[in-house]
Amino acid sequence: GGLDCFIYLLEQHNLRPEEIEKVVCLTDPIVDRHLWRSREIVTHVDTQFNAAYPFAAAAFRLLPGPSWQSNEALINPRILSFMDKVTMGTYPKYGELLLEDPRSPITRVDVVARGKTFTEERRWIKGNPYPESARMTDKDLIEKFKNNASGVLPHEKQDRAVEAIMEIEKLDNIRGLIKQIT
């Protein structure tokens, strides 16, 4: 949810990494656990358990997916130093709000840039099945698939794989699909 908020603010206000002084994300209390507070990036796994790294990657407009895990991103000093601008914390009354609606984990992100504070708050994470407005569209899913497959499958094979996946219920045999995604 925090990443959804942050990316929205970046795009809405055309914020550049060098303009951003501070990012504060208030969300699930799990981010207060030590595991999520590490700033050390040595391996790809470190990025997956680091709350600040995705914000840094997003600030530099890397598409979520393989580019976040690239060797270039992992050693990029600008991305790594941006992580120091990111603070994670618990959203006030998070538990109470979650009890009201367990499907709605609330998140707020404040970005300090250009002498202002830009704020976005969301109750629904993109990709949640509820409410309908949070669901990913077929177009969203196709873009995500193609982005994730980009380093593995050529474009024409990606297109054929999408066609096969989107009509999977019509397949008599799964072998045709497997051929397209490998």
Side-chain angles (χ1 to χ4, degrees):
L3 216 41
D4 290 345
C5 292
F6 183 61
I7 291 170
Y8 171 81
L9 290 171
L10 289 173
E11 292 172 357
Q12 189 72 20
H13 302 286
N14 195 28
L15 298 173
R16 294 184 319 273
E18 61 275 5
E19 296 177 303
I20 297 171
E21 297 171 41
K22 180 166 68 169
V23 178
V24 178
C25 178
L26 301 177
T27 188
D28 190 319
I30 196 168
V31 300
D32 280 334
R33 302 225 170 117
H34 176 71
L35 173 70
W36 295 95
R37 290 191 173 270
S38 171
R39 297 288 183 181
E40 186 177 25
I41 301 292
V42 178
T43 71
H44 298 281
V45 175
D46 295 330
T47 65
Q48 297 165 19
F49 290 98
N50 184 301
Y53 180 80
F55 286 85
F60 286 89
R61 303 305 200 274
L62 298 181
L63 282 176
S67 64
W68 286 12
Q69 299 291 316
S70 73
N71 290 329
E72 295 80 22
L74 293 176
I75 62 169
N76 184 318
R78 293 178 66 215
I79 291 174
L80 298 175
S81 68
F82 189 92
M83 291 169 47
D84 293 333
K85 297 179 180 184
V86 180
T87 304
M88 304 298 289
T90 300
Y91 187 95
K93 299 185 180 183
Y94 181 88
E96 291 174 39
L97 293 169
L98 203 58
L99 286 173
E100 287 175 17
D101 187 346
R103 301 168 297 187
S104 173
I106 192 159
T107 301
R108 185 178 87 215
V109 171
D110 297 318
V111 176
V112 178
R114 301 179 191 149
K116 301 178 188 174
T117 300
F118 302 92
T119 299
E120 180 69 8
E121 185 171 292
R122 298 207 177 165
R123 297 273 324 232
W124 308 105
I125 297 169
K126 183 178 179 179
N128 264 12
Y130 178 86
E132 193 168 321
S133 62
R135 291 182 186 159
M136 291 182 77
T137 64
D138 285 351
K139 182 180 181 234
D140 294 332
L141 292 169
I142 290 167
E143 285 176 15
K144 184 174 182 175
F145 170 80
K146 286 184 172 187
N147 179 43
N148 286 324
S150 64
V152 181
L153 296 177
H155 291 291
E156 59 279 353
K157 204 161 193 182
Q158 291 174 31
D159 292 336
R160 289 194 307 265
V162 166
E163 288 174 26
I165 292 167
M166 297 306 285
E167 298 199 0
I168 197 166
E169 68 277 359
K170 295 178 184 174
L171 291 178
D172 292 330
N173 188 319
I174 198 76
R175 274 188 249 152
L177 172 61
I178 299 302
K179 256 186 169 170
Q180 298 308 322
I181 60 173
T182 58

